[in-house]
Amino acid sequence: MSGQAEGIAIVGGGFSGAMLAARLAERGVTSTIVNRTADFGLGVAYSTPFDGHLLNVRSSRMSALADRPAHFVDWLKAHHPDSADPDRFAPRRVFGLYVQDRLRTVETAHPGTIRRVVAEVAQIAADGVQLADGSVIAARAVVLATGNPAPRTAEAGASPRVIADPWATGALDRIGADDDVLIVGTGLTMVDMLLMLDGRGWTGRATALSRRGLMPRVHGERPDPPRQPTETLLSGPLSLRLNEARRLSRGGGWREVMEGLRPITAELWMQADLATRRRIVRHLRPFWDVHRHRLATTIGVTMDRLTAESRLTIVTGRVRAITADDRGVRLDWRARRGEAPPLTAPWLIDCTGPGHAADADPLTAPLIHSGRARLDPLRLGLDLDPLGRVLDREGRPASTLFVLGPPARAAFWETIAVPDIRKRIEDVAGALRA
């Protein structure tokens, strides 16, 4: 690799990185996407080969383009007509094909504006990125779009019986058809793993542990109309706003309340003071997550079946220790109301969700230690300004370093779903073009 300027360097080639590159190309800005694999556009979410893994958002809202809301549905009609119902939840594998097709289409229409590099980024330099082989991609700005990291609750490599990264290739292949499993975490990752196992003909039982025992809620049969937020819901002490949300939910349904909040969630988060944000993270976040990030209706039916068959049991408590030998895994835990006997099974799967730790990440930790970046006060990630620019130790925004997608949650809270990320893409693309 040469040291010549390469426009914008984008670290990470999942949805966020690939669609940012496409948008930049359409605005006449060149970029280089650096990804660990050749599967540009997929990331963790859309690289699954299992068609039972469905989108958590209806197809009508999954356009990659903010100004063309029907773009994904139109693509489905042309390429996958069996999945083209705008009110259905398309397979995530199919959405990954859509993202890849859009990237290729833009590359064809704007030749020479997007460069793909399969490599490991070792360091964010002052003038670009350094790769693991020592070569450098020079750039006038760098965008970190590294997606969701693997969970961190279970120690990777501690035992082959402990599946620390459930999304690793072949991670579930060792689990026998009738093996029981322990799962730490009861959110979306747990659901994905059980769906994959069940789809393979697995007949074992799963015991899942989380601190509150909450599972993701399910979408309604039809799209829910948004309920206009009241002034009380949008301002004032958090306790009063929560009471207002409950009141509105009793009157018209909680899904309608969540739909009304969805377009303005990031704005409300940015307006909140530190004390309010801290209370949200400490007390409200688990309840928000299970109501906000919901399951497709058919997936909800599958989870109900597993529960009714006594093949899924959820327990509430905290992990104390995980030990394993060549025969199985022992999970010592403390129940919410006191001691509990240990749980045992041949396998344990860590489904605690993304293990974001900016001060331990090999790319972002050096930025923090050198003063080029800082953690946000709640340690959710790097501290950013409203454009997604990294703030240095003194709180000054860097005009050449941006964060996009899930790693930007400290600044925007909602940076996981496509409708939220595509808005951030427009903001970042506008700033980089300027």
Side-chain angles (χ1 to χ4, degrees), residues 417-429:
V418 165
D420 305 307
I421 295 175
R422 71 188 179 205
K423 182 180 185 305
R424 301 261 69 85
I425 286 174
E426 293 299 320
D427 294 342
V428 172

Side-chain angles (χ1 to χ4, degrees), residues 14 64 79 88 115 139 147 154 168 182 209 246 286 299 337 344 349 356 384 398 414 426 429:
H79 300 278
R88 288 178 58 188
R115 180 185 177 201
L182 301 175
L209 166 72
R246 289 169 175 157
I299 292 178
R337 292 180 174 83
T344 60
I349 310 173
H356 293 285
L384 311 175
E414 291 288 347
E426 293 299 320

Side-chain angles (χ1 to χ4, degrees), residues 52-224:
H53 285 156
L54 305 180
L55 296 171
N56 296 325
V57 178
R58 286 183 165 87
S59 296
S60 59
R61 294 186 172 183
M62 288 296 289
S63 171
L65 300 173
D67 58 348
R68 295 177 61 185
H71 189 257
F72 177 48
V73 173
D74 289 342
W75 183 88
L76 286 173
K77 291 176 181 177
H79 300 278
H80 293 268
D82 291 344
S83 300
D85 185 340
D87 292 337
R88 288 178 58 188
F89 303 85
R92 297 210 302 254
R93 179 189 65 82
V94 172
F95 186 78
L97 297 176
Y98 159 71
V99 175
Q100 291 184 318
D101 187 58
R102 166 158 165 74
L103 183 61
R104 285 192 299 268
T105 299
V106 173
E107 288 173 318
T108 301
H110 304 274
T113 56
I114 299 175
R115 180 185 177 201
R116 305 187 189 199
V117 174
V118 179
E120 183 86 21
V121 174
Q123 181 181 353
I124 308 302
D127 57 352
V129 297
Q130 179 179 334
L131 305 183
D133 64 3
S135 60
V136 174
I137 296 177
R140 63 177 177 86
V142 175
V143 181
L144 298 177
T146 49
N148 280 321
R152 296 176 183 266
T153 300
E155 183 180 353
S159 166
R161 294 282 178 176
V162 176
I163 301 172
D165 182 1
W167 291 111
T169 302
L172 304 184
D173 290 352
R174 292 168 285 167
I175 299 177
D178 58 355
D179 286 351
D180 292 345
V181 297
L182 301 175
I183 299 177
V184 182
T186 59
L188 293 174
T189 304
M190 177 204 75
V191 173
D192 280 343
M193 296 304 111
L194 289 177
L195 288 172
M196 188 177 295
L197 286 172
D198 190 60
R200 295 178 175 184
W202 170 76
T203 59
R205 294 173 298 173
T207 302
L209 166 72
S210 68
R211 292 174 62 181
R212 291 179 174 83
L214 298 172
M215 275 185 56
R217 302 309 194 251
V218 181
H219 281 279
E221 290 291 337
R222 305 300 299 173
D224 299 292

Side-chain angles (χ1 to χ4, degrees), residues 232-233 235-247 276 279-280 284:
T232 303
L233 186 62
S235 61
L238 186 60
S239 58
L240 294 181
R241 296 164 73 175
L242 184 57
N243 287 337
E244 178 70 355
R246 289 169 175 157
R247 183 187 72 81
T276 299
R279 293 185 67 195
I280 290 173
L284 188 59

Side-chain angles (χ1 to χ4, degrees), residues 1-6 127 136-139:
M1 301 273 175
S2 69
Q4 289 182 320
E6 297 286 349
D127 57 352
V136 174
I137 296 177

Side-chain angles (χ1 to χ4, degrees), residues 196-400:
M196 188 177 295
L197 286 172
D198 190 60
R200 295 178 175 184
W202 170 76
T203 59
R205 294 173 298 173
T207 302
L209 166 72
S210 68
R211 292 174 62 181
R212 291 179 174 83
L214 298 172
M215 275 185 56
R217 302 309 194 251
V218 181
H219 281 279
E221 290 291 337
R222 305 300 299 173
D224 299 292
R227 178 154 189 175
Q228 185 67 28
T230 63
E231 185 61 32
T232 303
L233 186 62
L234 298 179
S235 61
L238 186 60
S239 58
L240 294 181
R241 296 164 73 175
L242 184 57
N243 287 337
E244 178 70 355
R246 289 169 175 157
R247 183 187 72 81
L248 294 173
S249 297
R250 288 192 298 268
W254 63 266
R255 293 187 184 91
E256 289 83 349
V257 175
M258 296 301 291
E259 290 301 312
L261 289 171
R262 181 172 191 158
I264 57 174
T265 299
E267 179 182 347
L268 293 175
W269 175 259
M270 289 188 285
Q271 292 173 352
D273 58 27
L274 180 59
T276 299
R277 290 187 181 188
R278 182 176 285 113
R279 293 185 67 195
I280 290 173
V281 171
R282 183 172 182 179
H283 301 292
L284 188 59
R285 178 180 177 181
F287 303 94
W288 172 270
D289 285 346
V290 298
H291 288 84
R292 170 66 176 82
H293 303 290
R294 306 194 285 277
L295 303 175
T297 51
T298 55
I299 292 178
V301 170
T302 300
M303 302 309 296
D304 288 343
R305 173 177 59 80
L306 293 175
T307 302
E309 294 173 350
S310 298
R311 295 178 54 212
L312 170 60
T313 301
I314 292 180
V315 295
T316 305
R318 295 173 179 265
V319 174
R320 300 180 68 175
I322 298 172
T323 55
D325 56 27
D326 58 358
R327 294 171 297 176
V329 184
R330 169 178 167 141
L331 173 61
D332 291 290
W333 63 294
R334 180 179 179 82
R336 294 195 68 180
R337 292 180 174 83
E339 297 298 320
L343 302 171
T344 60
W347 309 96
L348 182 142
I349 310 173
D350 187 349
C351 295
T352 51
H356 293 285
D359 52 349
D361 183 273
L363 287 183
T364 55
L367 298 175
I368 296 171
H369 296 155
S370 67
R372 291 181 62 194
R374 70 181 186 185
L375 288 173
D376 85 293
L378 298 181
R379 302 181 68 84
L380 295 175
L382 295 182
D383 210 2
L384 311 175
D385 77 351
L387 288 177
R389 298 180 298 184
V390 173
L391 300 180
D392 69 9
R393 182 182 293 151
E394 305 302 323
R396 297 168 299 201
S399 61
T400 60

